[in-house]
Amino acid sequence: KELIALLQDDATRIALQKQAFEHGRSMTWSNTAKLYMRAFEEAVTDVATQDPVPIPSHTSLPAIKLDHLFRMSDSTGILQHATFSIPDFRHGYCVDDNARALMLCAELKRAHHPAFPQVEAHAANYAAFLNYSYSNATKRFRNFMSYGRQWLDENGTDDSNCRAMRCLGSCIRAGLFEEWATTRFVEAVENFRNVRSVRAMANLVLALNDFFKRYSGPNEYGQIRAIRKDIANRLMKEFVTHKTDSWVWPEHKLTYENAVLPHALITTGKELGDEDMMSVGLDSLDWLMDHQMNAEGIFSPIGNESWFERGGMKADFDQQPIEAGTTVVACLAAREATNEPMWGSLAFAAFNWFVGGNALGKPIYNHQTGGCRDGLHIAGVNLNEGAESLLVFLISLLALQTAGVTATEQTEK
């Protein structure tokens, strides 16, 4: 009866149609998507504005655990990526990570660490990977290899090549595969004399510093000494040219592996007896640390979400292990150059990022697997445990152990 009456009452029926239409508009796909986005934004805001997380206080260093290194390594070399703690074959291998793995082995040998015999066989595989990547024709190292052992590039980048050179420098200094490393180093170094990337320059001069720790005679390799001085001066010029009162950096943007740049100037200035160069390095590292320590005194590196551009805002997330690892090593170099305990304190603060001393109070190092997770996002930890993350963690841990930095050195800046 009511339905028949409604069908006969045009005015009422049209009014109901309009009400139903307006109500249904809130459930269209576009409006539903907006509701989801609002919910996501509120969740992120809740995480970002919640009360500060209690930060664990770590006064001792963990032991070096190599389980994940062995898990990620095979007869070819070390794999790039992992899904959680499981090696991910899909992404194959790269020179960057095999160079870091071989550098770790060299540093273990130089430190006479009891773990070195455990990695010696793997060290030969990492060296073989670098050797196979090297082209006698171009004097460069390829970078990416598929899991099926097919090269995916021909020349690598200047950054990846100079990281390979830095690894060779570590091998030469440690006496690990010394004849091979010296031969490759001497053959290739002239080829990188004119690199333009500041990170390539930095890694190359650090490699040259290690090279001359072994070949320290004043009349040895004079031409290569000239290359070191030339590249170090060009790197310093980049700092001086770009510097302003508020920006003490050689680029318009802080991106990745930042601390390696002042590290190179500090150690090279010390080796060459160049006080100005060392001073520029120390000033820039001090400025970098001002931007990497938050108001609570917690290490909070530049995030790769949008980096940190001059005149802009620093990205607080996604924080990467390479920033913590390279900062540890750079601060230790500053400590060695100046004998100032402040730098030991800052090195310890940067390392604590791995074990929970970070903006979210979450451990990045996985004590159970021996792996290191791949980053810190605003909503939590990236649970994958790739090679780069693992290796920068282990290298920085070994550096702290070797330097003997302890909790008693943790004085405020």
Side-chain angles (χ1 to χ4, degrees), residues 239 243 248 262 266 276-290 343:
F239 273 91
K243 180 181 178 181
V248 189
I266 293 165
D276 289 341
M277 183 177 292
M278 192 166 75
S279 177
V280 169
L282 290 167
D283 287 347
S284 64
L285 183 58
D286 187 59
W287 177 85
L288 177 63
M289 294 308 295
D290 281 344
W343 293 113

Side-chain angles (χ1 to χ4, degrees), residues 88-247:
D88 188 342
F89 296 161
R90 292 172 298 176
H91 299 283
Y93 314 84
C94 67
V95 155
D96 280 316
D97 291 334
N98 278 274
R100 290 186 182 99
L102 184 55
M103 185 174 169
L104 170 66
C105 296
E107 295 304 306
L108 286 167
K109 184 177 191 298
R110 188 162 72 89
H112 305 289
H113 197 282
F116 176 70
Q118 301 173 51
V119 302
E120 196 165 3
H122 288 288
N125 291 335
Y126 307 142
F129 186 94
L130 262 70
N131 192 54
Y132 187 42
S133 76
Y134 182 76
S135 166
N136 288 308
T138 64
K139 303 293 190 288
R140 292 179 69 92
F141 299 86
R142 300 174 183 91
N143 194 8
F144 297 108
M145 176 189 275
S146 71
Y147 186 64
R149 293 190 178 184
Q150 300 298 312
W151 287 113
L152 303 177
D153 68 339
E154 283 301 319
N155 294 307
T157 64
D158 284 347
D159 283 5
S160 66
N161 272 271
C162 290
R163 195 167 288 112
M165 293 293 286
R166 186 172 174 189
C167 161
L168 294 179
S170 291
C171 288
I172 292 164
R173 183 176 181 181
L176 179 64
F177 310 124
E178 184 179 345
E179 294 86 356
W180 163 76
T182 300
T183 299
R184 287 285 175 261
F185 193 97
V186 172
E187 283 177 353
V189 66
E190 177 68 36
N191 199 42
F192 304 115
R193 183 171 197 153
N194 296 315
V195 292
R196 299 179 65 83
S197 159
V198 289
R199 281 160 192 78
M201 292 184 207
N203 276 304
L204 188 55
V205 293
L206 289 168
L208 286 158
N209 291 340
D210 278 342
F211 179 85
F212 286 114
K213 287 292 186 181
R214 167 64 181 82
Y215 298 105
S216 56
N219 298 318
E220 291 187 281
Y221 296 108
Q223 187 174 355
I224 297 179
R225 288 183 185 277
I227 292 173
R228 174 173 64 169
K229 189 170 184 179
D230 177 54
I231 295 173
N233 284 335
R234 286 201 294 121
L235 179 60
M236 182 173 170
K237 184 179 179 180
E238 293 294 323
F239 273 91
V240 173
T241 300
H242 288 83
K243 180 181 178 181
T244 68
D245 290 341
S246 60
W247 191 261

Side-chain angles (χ1 to χ4, degrees), residues 57-61 344-345 348 352 404-412:
S57 176
H58 294 275
T59 58
S60 61
L61 298 171
S345 170
F348 219 103
N352 271 341
V405 178
T406 64
T408 59
E409 200 165 328
Q410 294 183 67
T411 58
E412 290 188 5

Side-chain angles (χ1 to χ4, degrees), residues 168-409:
L168 294 179
S170 291
C171 288
I172 292 164
R173 183 176 181 181
L176 179 64
F177 310 124
E178 184 179 345
E179 294 86 356
W180 163 76
T182 300
T183 299
R184 287 285 175 261
F185 193 97
V186 172
E187 283 177 353
V189 66
E190 177 68 36
N191 199 42
F192 304 115
R193 183 171 197 153
N194 296 315
V195 292
R196 299 179 65 83
S197 159
V198 289
R199 281 160 192 78
M201 292 184 207
N203 276 304
L204 188 55
V205 293
L206 289 168
L208 286 158
N209 291 340
D210 278 342
F211 179 85
F212 286 114
K213 287 292 186 181
R214 167 64 181 82
Y215 298 105
S216 56
N219 298 318
E220 291 187 281
Y221 296 108
Q223 187 174 355
I224 297 179
R225 288 183 185 277
I227 292 173
R228 174 173 64 169
K229 189 170 184 179
D230 177 54
I231 295 173
N233 284 335
R234 286 201 294 121
L235 179 60
M236 182 173 170
K237 184 179 179 180
E238 293 294 323
F239 273 91
V240 173
T241 300
H242 288 83
K243 180 181 178 181
T244 68
D245 290 341
S246 60
W247 191 261
V248 189
W249 203 249
E251 302 169 295
H252 73 280
K253 182 189 294 186
L254 285 160
T255 57
Y256 72 99
E257 200 179 14
N258 292 305
V260 73
L261 305 182
H263 178 192
L265 291 187
I266 293 165
T267 58
T268 310
K270 182 172 181 289
E271 292 297 317
L272 297 178
D274 189 327
E275 293 290 334
D276 289 341
M277 183 177 292
M278 192 166 75
S279 177
V280 169
L282 290 167
D283 287 347
S284 64
L285 183 58
D286 187 59
W287 177 85
L288 177 63
M289 294 308 295
D290 281 344
H291 289 285
Q292 293 193 134
M293 302 297 291
N294 68 18
E296 290 74 40
I298 301 301
F299 181 74
S300 182
I302 312 302
N304 75 0
E305 186 177 44
S306 59
W307 306 119
F308 178 23
E309 194 158 358
R310 177 161 46 187
M313 297 291 292
K314 167 193 167 185
D316 290 323
F317 299 94
D318 304 318
Q319 298 176 13
Q320 302 293 303
I322 192 170
E323 300 310 318
T326 54
T327 300
V328 169
V329 177
C331 288
L332 291 177
R335 174 181 178 264
E336 182 180 356
T338 64
N339 292 317
E340 293 179 5
M342 172 191 82
W343 293 113
S345 170
L346 291 171
F348 219 103
F351 183 81
N352 271 341
W353 181 88
F354 288 109
V355 290
N358 52 56
L360 298 184
K362 303 287 187 183
I364 308 300
Y365 172 58
N366 186 341
H367 289 269
Q368 183 176 2
T369 66
C372 181
R373 298 177 175 111
D374 281 347
L376 191 68
H377 306 306
I378 192 169
V381 177
N382 180 338
L383 297 178
N384 296 327
E385 299 176 6
E388 178 182 286
S389 305
L390 168 70
L391 292 164
V392 296
F393 167 77
L394 289 172
I395 289 169
S396 61
L397 172 57
L398 177 63
L400 274 171
Q401 289 181 346
T402 304
V405 178
T406 64
T408 59
E409 200 165 328

